[in-house]
Amino acid sequence: MSVIDAIDRVREDIRYTLRGLARAPGFTLGVVLTLGLGLGVNAAMFTFLDKVFVQPPAGVAKAANVRRVYAAIVRPTEASGRLNSRTLLYPQIREIARSAGPAVSIGVFTSDHDSILVNADGRLIPVRRVFANTGYFRALDVRPLRGRFFDASEDRIEAPSPVAVISHSVWQRAFNGDPRAIGSTVRIKNQVVTIVGVTPETFAGIDLDRSELWMPLGNYNTDPPARVPWYDTYQSSFDVIARFDTPAAEDRFVAIGSRAVRPVKIANWGDSTADIRTGPILSALGPAEREKEVSISLRLGGVALIILLIATANVSNLLLVRATRREREIAIRRALGVSRTRLFGQLFTESLLLALMGGVVSLVLSAWAGTAIRRLLLPDVHWSISAADMRTALFAVGTALIVGFVVGLAPALRMWQPDVLTALKTTGKTTTRRRSPMRSALLVAQLALAFVLLVGAGLFVSSLRDVQNIDVGYDVNRTLIVSATSEKGGLTPAIEAAMPSITERLSSIDGVESVASASQGPMGGYSMIGVFLPDRDSLPKVGGDAGAYRVTVSPAYFKTVGQRVLAGRAFAVGDGPSVVVGEQMAKAYWPSQSAVGKCLILGKRE
């Protein structure tokens, strides 16, 4: 058969199939919508999983050559016996960089947990800030769109310069894309910072959260210097990346780096066998524990796959029923000389056309659902592509073709009749009622998959109910938490001085029972502080930490949030230096005594 004859035959099969589907609009609509739903859910999840597990960070040249550096620490409590940490302590990073030499571009960075406010000509712009060294942009091989990146003289860890590189989105929001933004100043907290460069439009960091402003690593802690600078202690940890041209260079780096951290790793890890490892630039593919967003996406991906399998089994059953009703028609055509190959081709043409129609529906569904999933799970991620891009379209079409082939197998196999006379003598009614082991198997598969999906949904609803019933330590239904901050990142002395009068005025509002102020709301954060007892040299760790999580509160705090004081009393106006400790700390420090009246030393012991 020539190519032209094959093309003509395909055209005839398509026309024949379309006429048959037009005569059964209800069947066609049901199959297309069923496949559209199954394929659409998977296409929507593809856009999400593609970003997390497949696509390299936008704007990074040869991203496969950029590797993350991990610390592998012995931890008997871990299933593998080792804890793979995504961050390293700065003294360790310094030794690794010194031993590796200038031939390896090592990037060191960390980011603020929350957005900060940048004051640009009186406009407050919320941004997510990253502290990075000069090797960060070199390792990623990113080129500035405007201006330049900070150089080594501005990145001195002991005396950093107040300069910054902004993203293209911040350049547009704060400066309307004005080239004169380079060299202008903005205020970040209590710092006046000079803008020296703008990153390309596609680049927004390498983590899932969008990065929008970069400052030299030395600006990480600009508080008044302590007796030992932060970069000489084991208090601060950072993400590390490195670029390698060959696998051999990567292996040498791992060997050199593991030896380099030997003198400093015991001090914090207590493990002389710890070493460093490398992994893909996408943190979701690395050896460290996955973030909750990544774990959730994997579970949602599994749910989407089950939905597609249910849709596939359902459509296979519908096509099998349709093929069973057409047995007499197929037998007549075979008796007239139509080959089995031609009949198989027509049956698969029908299933493939239905699947492609469902694929078109899935693209419309994925464009809406993909956007909704992005906003729900990862609202801060920089999505360089739309929810219905070419990659998603190719995935939808490819999946539709595979599903079309799979759902066409059942009717094709059902039509493989060795005895044409038997099929011709069989009436339509008898044919329809004939038992089919394949249909029974598909029904069992549908029920099994639906049962798994229903059990998962039930467990999810049960978990939500349990979460709602958790006692979080305050009345969530009647307590309203309001955050107050300033462009400097905290409360100014003027605002702190005005807080008593502010809370008093709020308390006078009708319906308000009580108002209190606190450095952090319930479950909203904490600051760590050292704790000592006058008559002891060492104390047990509470919750695995040496020290205490401190929150500064006003006298009405416990009444306002609905927390009970188990022993002693709450704060009162006019109290001198005093604390209220948690029950866990009281039992750990004074196991057989009352904690009321005991003395604590907070801060650093002299």
Side-chain angles (χ1 to χ4, degrees):
M1 181 187 298
S2 65
V3 176
I4 296 178
D5 292 337
I7 295 175
D8 290 339
R9 176 170 292 186
V10 171
R11 289 177 179 172
E12 291 177 5
D13 290 344
I14 292 175
R15 285 195 294 266
Y16 174 79
T17 300
L18 290 176
R19 288 196 299 269
L21 294 178
R23 290 194 295 267
F27 166 82
T28 303
L29 181 63
V31 170
V32 169
L33 291 181
T34 301
L35 288 177
L37 176 62
L39 293 169
V41 171
N42 280 265
M45 281 307 305
F46 170 79
T47 64
F48 188 83
L49 298 176
D50 187 39
K51 174 70 174 181
V52 175
F53 293 103
V54 180
Q55 282 192 62
V60 178
K62 297 182 180 179
N65 292 347
V66 183
R67 308 284 285 174
R68 286 183 182 265
V69 181
Y70 296 85
I73 314 163
V74 171
R75 284 289 186 273
T77 55
E78 298 292 325
S80 62
R82 280 187 176 269
L83 171 66
N84 293 294
S85 173
R86 210 179 83 174
T87 59
L88 280 78
L89 301 169
Y90 190 79
Q92 298 164 339
I93 298 171
R94 184 168 52 199
E95 290 301 317
I96 293 173
R98 183 185 61 79
S99 300
V104 180
S105 297
I106 299 177
V108 184
F109 67 100
T110 188
S111 60
D112 288 318
H113 295 293
D114 301 310
S115 295
I116 61 171
L117 295 176
V118 173
N119 189 330
D121 293 332
R123 299 175 56 194
L124 297 180
I125 310 295
V127 302
R128 184 172 181 269
R129 178 175 56 176
V130 175
F131 300 99
N133 68 342
T134 54
Y136 173 82
F137 293 107
R138 285 202 307 269
L140 298 177
D141 198 11
V142 178
R143 299 290 187 268
L145 177 68
R146 294 276 181 175
R148 60 178 178 82
F149 297 143
F150 33 82
D151 55 33
S153 64
E154 295 166 331
D155 189 32
R156 290 177 298 170
I157 199 72
E158 302 85 359
S161 299
V163 296
V165 174
I166 59 176
S167 68
H168 183 272
S169 64
V170 173
W171 183 43
Q172 295 295 325
R173 281 185 291 156
F175 301 99
N176 297 318
D178 189 347
R180 291 175 295 180
I182 306 300
S184 63
T185 60
V186 295
R187 180 176 291 276
I188 302 177
K189 295 186 177 180
N190 57 355
Q191 269 188 307
V192 176
V193 178
T194 302
I195 305 298
V196 297
V198 178
T199 61
E201 183 176 359
T202 57
F203 182 74
I206 63 173
D207 289 326
L208 289 179
D209 292 334
R210 179 195 301 266
S211 301
E212 298 178 304
L213 183 143
W214 293 262
M215 293 185 67
L217 190 65
N219 291 280
Y220 170 69
N221 189 343
T222 55
D223 293 335
R227 184 170 53 187
V228 179
W230 65 268
Y231 44 81
D232 286 333
T233 67
Y234 297 93
Q235 305 296 323
S236 303
S237 58
F238 301 88
D239 289 78
V240 181
I241 56 174
R243 177 178 287 273
F244 306 101
D245 294 330
T246 63
E250 182 178 349
D251 293 339
R252 286 195 300 270
F253 173 82
V254 170
I256 292 173
S258 296
R259 290 194 299 269
V261 298
R262 186 167 299 154
V264 293
K265 61 191 174 186
I266 301 176
N268 183 70
W269 294 336
D271 172 25
S272 60
T273 64
D275 54 18
I276 65 170
R277 299 178 180 179
T278 53
I281 188 173
L282 293 177
S283 60
L285 300 177
E289 183 179 355
R290 287 171 174 160
E291 301 171 349
K292 62 179 183 299
E293 292 88 355
V294 176
S295 299
I296 291 173
S297 68
L298 287 174
R299 289 174 173 82
L300 289 178
V303 171
L305 180 60
I306 291 177
I307 292 175
L308 179 60
L309 292 176
I310 292 175
T312 302
N314 192 12
V315 171
S316 296
N317 233 332
L318 290 175
L319 290 177
L320 188 58
V321 171
R322 176 177 170 84
T324 303
R325 290 177 176 175
R326 296 172 59 191
E327 275 187 345
R328 186 177 178 82
E329 172 197 340
I330 299 298
I332 292 174
R333 298 183 64 194
R334 285 186 55 194
L336 294 175
V338 180
S339 67
R340 288 178 175 176
T341 304
R342 183 69 185 276
L343 291 174
F344 264 48
Q346 290 178 346
L347 290 173
F348 275 113
T349 299
E350 181 180 68
S351 63
L352 289 174
L353 279 177
L354 288 170
L356 289 175
M357 293 178 188
V360 174
V361 174
S362 73
L363 288 177
V364 179
L365 179 62
S366 66
W368 171 80
T371 302
I373 292 175
R374 290 178 176 189
R375 292 177 179 175
L376 177 64
L377 295 182
L378 293 178
D380 297 326
V381 170
H382 173 64
W383 298 95
S384 57
I385 57 176
S386 65
D389 66 313
M390 184 56 66
R391 293 169 65 91
T392 305
L394 291 175
F395 172 82
V397 172
T399 308
L401 291 175
I402 294 173
V403 170
F405 178 79
V406 172
V407 299
L409 279 177
L413 294 175
R414 184 71 179 87
M415 289 297 99
W416 192 272
Q417 289 283 356
D419 189 355
V420 176
L421 291 177
T422 302
L424 289 172
K425 293 178 180 179
T426 304
T427 64
K429 185 175 180 180
T430 306
T431 302
T432 303
R433 292 185 177 180
R434 189 189 307 174
R435 296 184 60 184
S436 171
M438 193 174 299
R439 286 185 59 191
S440 300
L442 288 172
L443 285 174
V444 171
Q446 281 183 265
L447 290 174
L449 291 170
F451 180 76
V452 171
L453 195 61
L454 287 174
V455 169
L459 292 174
F460 178 71
V461 172
S462 176
S463 298
L464 287 180
R465 186 182 65 249
D466 293 341
V467 169
Q468 290 179 338
N469 294 331
I470 291 176
D471 183 7
V472 296
Y474 71 99
D475 189 349
V476 296
N477 296 318
R478 301 175 58 204
T479 304
L480 178 65
I481 301 175
V482 180
S483 298
T485 187
S486 69
E487 63 181 278
K488 295 183 178 180
L491 298 182
T492 63
I495 296 178
E496 290 184 358
M499 285 305 295
S501 62
I502 293 174
T503 56
E504 183 179 351
R505 292 173 61 184
L506 292 175
S507 300
S508 63
I509 299 175
D510 291 339
V512 177
E513 295 183 8
S514 178
V515 177
S517 60
S519 59
Q520 296 287 348
M523 301 183 68
Y526 54 83
S527 62
M528 196 76 177
I529 190 170
V531 177
F532 306 93
L533 294 185
D535 54 345
R536 296 195 209 174
D537 293 330
S538 62
L539 291 174
K541 292 184 178 181
V542 180
D545 295 301
Y549 301 130
R550 176 182 61 176
V551 179
T552 306
V553 302
S554 65
Y557 176 81
F558 295 103
K559 174 186 175 182
T560 302
V561 300
Q563 285 184 335
R564 294 185 300 119
V565 178
L566 300 178
R569 62 174 177 83
F571 298 119
V573 178
D575 278 346
S578 55
V579 297
V580 174
V581 299
E583 182 180 12
Q584 187 179 12
M585 175 181 284
K587 289 181 178 180
Y589 288 1
W590 303 280
S592 58
Q593 307 175 47
S594 172
V596 178
K598 296 298 189 294
C599 179
L600 284 175
I601 300 174
L602 302 180
K604 295 182 179 180
R605 173 177 263 173
E606 299 298 336

